[in-house]
């Protein structure tokens, strides 16, 4: 391993979850947390416990389940009640961290906090001390650090380290920095904060100018030894720095950065897929490292070069990031053992019941489709991942549509073990009719914001994948469904999104935000 180790602080479950449409329920968060542990991240920022009862429960469960293997972190504003909630949620974790933040820039001091510099220092220091009573591992973030006067930033950092912060994070909250600017901020802190050696400097970059990864790497060059990032670059607005890009840049350019991480890079692609599937947030085809085209060579001259010698046009091997191509793998006569082996190679860890369900789905698909690809198997498994938490399930449906007819859907849904409920609706097409009937049965009214259909593999008999994003009372929810029948895939996707809205309504009522804002 070359050089210093960079601490990978994953905030997919906190900052990432703040992306519109990306909210996850506790079971989904546990699934992502499990994948992050297997990926080898050093710290999982599991949530913001004061934000809602749902956030508190998710952090508590992640702390209890994974807090012996990976550091679990909870976010808190510099307020007693926030810190108390963070402590409560982290109680079961052996390895735990409280992340306290307070804005420091003039703009935030004047307009948001209405506090002067002395009050900011006083509040930051007392909050770090309060958190420190509970655990040694304390991170402090001067929010909007990049737009904070450098001398004041140095003072805040020095005093919070003296109060017990072991990591000082320097957030570019609004994605304003450029690589050389951010380098100078970090270098300035290293040169002017006398006790800086007692804490790890962390980078936290947003992607508003498309510079989050470049800025994070620049911070590492300047001496930061922790980066805060998310899978697929999820996060507020344009997102956070993408974990997979930072990790692969450090690995591929180890000659230059002379640093390494603990990440098991072969888990990058499966983890990206899982997060995309759970949040419903698609990964763009040409996304670096985990996009479908990231390793596709189209130009003949490139293909020729790669066939002669990979390194002519390939700086990373697809297998190093766990990339799953379109390999033809199995057919109707493949047995259970062959199926199980392939599932393991694809990076899934399924218990017996989940493996059986996946195998049953595979057999059902093999009846409809001659050739089954890795991507089909991945889609079937991911489609089942969030089944368990769904209160409402689709029992059956029927649609009729055609030229000159009124599109109609009849639908039967079941809520847990209650009697199934049947209803019918018309719409401007069979899918619209299905969506309307579902909303009537579940008593929810949603606005469809996005509807996306794609084929998972090749051929007319391919599995179709539908992703939807809906808006229910101003909040966004996503869902994904797969089937060889596109109407059924759409019904599954819409039901998942409605189930998320239903679960949010039941857990949090309407008050999912703190004082009307999420951090
Ligand atoms: O972007 C930001 O400033 C944050 C803080 C809470 C660290 O996410
Ligand atoms: Zn952030």
């Amino acid at each position: 391993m070359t050089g210093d180790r960079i601490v990978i602080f994953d905030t997919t479950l906190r900052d990432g979850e703040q992306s519109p449409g990306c909210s996850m329920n506790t079971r989904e968060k546990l699934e992502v947390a499990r994948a992050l542990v297997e990926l080898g991240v050093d710290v999982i920022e599991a949530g913001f416990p004061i934000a809602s009862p749902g956030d508190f429960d998710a952090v508590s469960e992640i702390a209890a389940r994974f807090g012996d293997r990976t550091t679990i972190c909870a976010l808190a504003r510099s307020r007693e009640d926030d810190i108390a909630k963070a402590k409560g949620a982290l109680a079961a974790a052996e390895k735990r961290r409280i992340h306290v933040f307070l804005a420091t820039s003039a703009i935030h001091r004047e307009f948001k906090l209405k506090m002067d510099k002395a009050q900011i220092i006083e509040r930051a220091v007392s909050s770090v001390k309060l958190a420190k009573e509970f655990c040694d591992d304390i991170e402090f973030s001067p929010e909007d650090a990049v737009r904070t006067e450098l001398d004041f930033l140095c003072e805040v950092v020095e005093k919070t380290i003296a109060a017990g912060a072991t990591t000082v994070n320097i957030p570019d909250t609004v994605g304003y920095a450029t690589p050389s600017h951010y380098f100078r901020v970090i270098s300035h802190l290293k040169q002017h904060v006398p006790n800086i050696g007692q804490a790890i400097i962390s980078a936290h970059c947003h992607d508003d100018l498309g510079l989050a990864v470049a800025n994070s790497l620049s911070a590492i060059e300047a001496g930061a030894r922790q980066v805060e990032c998310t899978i697929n670059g999820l996060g507020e607005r344009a997102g956070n720095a993408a974990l997979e890009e930072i990790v692969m840049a450090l690995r591929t350019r180890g000659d230059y950065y002379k640093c390494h991480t603990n990440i098991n890079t072969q888990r990058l692609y499966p983890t990206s897929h899982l997060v995309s599937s759970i949040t419903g947030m698609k990964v763009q085809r040409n996304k670096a490292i985990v996009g479908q085209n990231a390793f596709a060579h189209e130009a003949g001259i490139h293909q020729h070069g790669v066939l002669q010698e990979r390194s002519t046009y390939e700086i990373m091997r697809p297998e190093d990031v766990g990339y799953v191509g379109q390999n033809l793998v199995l057919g109707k006569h493949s047995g259970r053992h062959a199926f199980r082996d392939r599932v393991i190679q694809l990076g899934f860890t399924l218990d017996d019941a989940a493996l059986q369900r996946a195998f049953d789905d595979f057999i059902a698909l093999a009846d409809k489709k001659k050739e089954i690809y890795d991507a089909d198997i991945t889609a079937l498994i991911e489609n089942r991942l969030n089944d368990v938490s769904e209160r409402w399930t689709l029992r059956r449906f029927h649609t009729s549509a055609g030229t000159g007819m009124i599109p109609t859907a009849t639908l039967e849904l079941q809520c847990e073990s209650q009697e199934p409920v049947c209803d019918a609706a018309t719409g401007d097409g069979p899918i619209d009719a299905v969506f309307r009937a579902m909303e009537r049965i579940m008593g929810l009214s949603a606005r469809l914001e996005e509807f996306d259909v794609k084929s998972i593999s090749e051929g007319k008999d391919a599995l179709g994948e539908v992703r939807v994003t809906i808006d229910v009372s101003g909040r966004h929810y996503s869902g994904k469904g797969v089937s060889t029948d596109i109407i059924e895939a759409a019904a599954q996707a819409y039901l998942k999104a409605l189930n998320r809205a239903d679960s949010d309504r039941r857990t949090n009522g309407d008050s999912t935000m703190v004082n009307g804002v999420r951090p």
Side-chain angles (χ1 to χ4, degrees), residues 291-334:
Q292 215 176 310
N293 290 357
F295 295 97
H297 300 278
E298 187 70 22
I301 197 164
H302 287 206
Q303 289 172 352
H304 179 72
V306 169
L307 285 175
Q308 302 297 314
E309 165 56 44
R310 268 180 149 184
S311 60
T312 48
Y313 286 100
E314 235 172 52
I315 57 165
M316 296 167 276
R317 295 179 312 168
E319 55 270 33
D320 289 343
V321 304
Y323 173 77
V324 176
Q326 288 280 321
N327 314 338
L328 169 62
V329 277
L330 303 169
K332 190 172 175 144
H333 302 294
S334 310

Side-chain angles (χ1 to χ4, degrees), residues 48 165 296 304 386 456 503:
F48 182 36
H304 179 72
N386 33 22
I456 294 287
S503 142

Side-chain angles (χ1 to χ4, degrees), residues 14-15 75 99 101 141 143-144 169 171 173 204 206 228 519:
R14 200 278 298 168
D15 222 331
L75 183 69
H99 176 187
F101 74 99
S141 285
E143 190 189 6
D144 204 15
N169 185 37
T173 305
H204 178 113
H206 281 269
E228 306 203 349

Side-chain angles (χ1 to χ4, degrees), residues 13 123 214 257 428 433 462 464 489:
L13 295 173
R123 176 79 72 83
Y257 289 106
D428 63 11

Side-chain angles (χ1 to χ4, degrees), residues 11 14-15 18 45 169 171-173 204-206 228 236-237 239-240 519:
T11 183
R14 200 278 298 168
D15 222 331
Q18 289 174 213
E45 187 165 49
N169 185 37
D172 180 18
T173 305
H204 178 113
C205 299
H206 281 269
E228 306 203 349
E236 275 284 356
R237 308 180 309 278
N240 289 62

Side-chain angles (χ1 to χ4, degrees), residues 221-424:
E221 283 193 72
R225 286 295 172 264
Q226 172 176 290
V227 277
E228 306 203 349
C229 41
T230 58
I231 301 294
N232 300 335
L234 289 184
E236 275 284 356
R237 308 180 309 278
N240 289 62
L243 179 149
E244 59 279 5
E245 294 178 23
I246 292 173
V247 166
M248 288 312 288
L250 292 176
R251 178 179 151 138
T252 309
R253 296 307 313 275
D255 61 320
Y256 179 74
Y257 289 106
K258 307 219 178 326
C259 293
H260 67 277
T261 70
N262 267 359
I263 296 295
N264 171 7
T265 61
Q266 290 180 349
R267 299 293 311 160
L268 288 171
Y269 191 81
T271 310
S272 156
H273 233 268
L274 177 81
V275 169
S276 164
S277 163
I278 286 182
T279 58
M281 187 74 109
K282 248 193 348 193
V283 174
Q284 81 200 44
R285 281 182 90 99
N286 62 339
K287 159 97 175 60
I289 317 296
V290 291
Q292 215 176 310
N293 290 357
F295 295 97
H297 300 278
E298 187 70 22
I301 197 164
H302 287 206
Q303 289 172 352
H304 179 72
V306 169
L307 285 175
Q308 302 297 314
E309 165 56 44
R310 268 180 149 184
S311 60
T312 48
Y313 286 100
E314 235 172 52
I315 57 165
M316 296 167 276
R317 295 179 312 168
E319 55 270 33
D320 289 343
V321 304
Y323 173 77
V324 176
Q326 288 280 321
N327 314 338
L328 169 62
V329 277
L330 303 169
K332 190 172 175 144
H333 302 294
S334 310
R336 205 168 180 282
H337 280 297
F339 179 76
R340 199 197 53 199
D341 288 350
R342 196 65 206 157
V343 167
I344 293 169
Q345 280 164 18
L346 289 172
F348 291 102
T349 325
L350 301 184
D351 61 24
D352 289 347
L355 184 70
Q356 187 58 48
R357 269 200 312 271
F359 186 64
D360 292 345
D361 288 348
F362 162 72
I363 293 295
L365 181 62
D367 265 341
K368 298 181 193 158
K369 189 174 184 297
K370 267 210 311 273
E371 296 166 333
I372 299 194
Y373 296 81
D374 281 344
D376 293 322
I377 297 180
T378 305
L380 289 179
I381 295 173
E382 288 179 351
N383 196 39
R384 287 280 190 182
L385 279 177
N386 33 22
D387 264 9
V388 185
S389 60
E390 306 213 321
R391 247 168 45 94
W392 290 89
T393 47
L394 177 63
R395 284 172 57 94
R396 52 193 168 152
F397 75 95
H398 170 82
T399 56
S400 74
T403 310
M405 293 178 63
I406 298 174
T408 312
T410 314
L411 204 72
E412 192 172 276
L413 298 185
Q414 183 164 20
C415 181
E416 292 173 332
S417 54
Q418 296 166 28
E419 279 297 299
V421 187
C422 190
D423 208 335

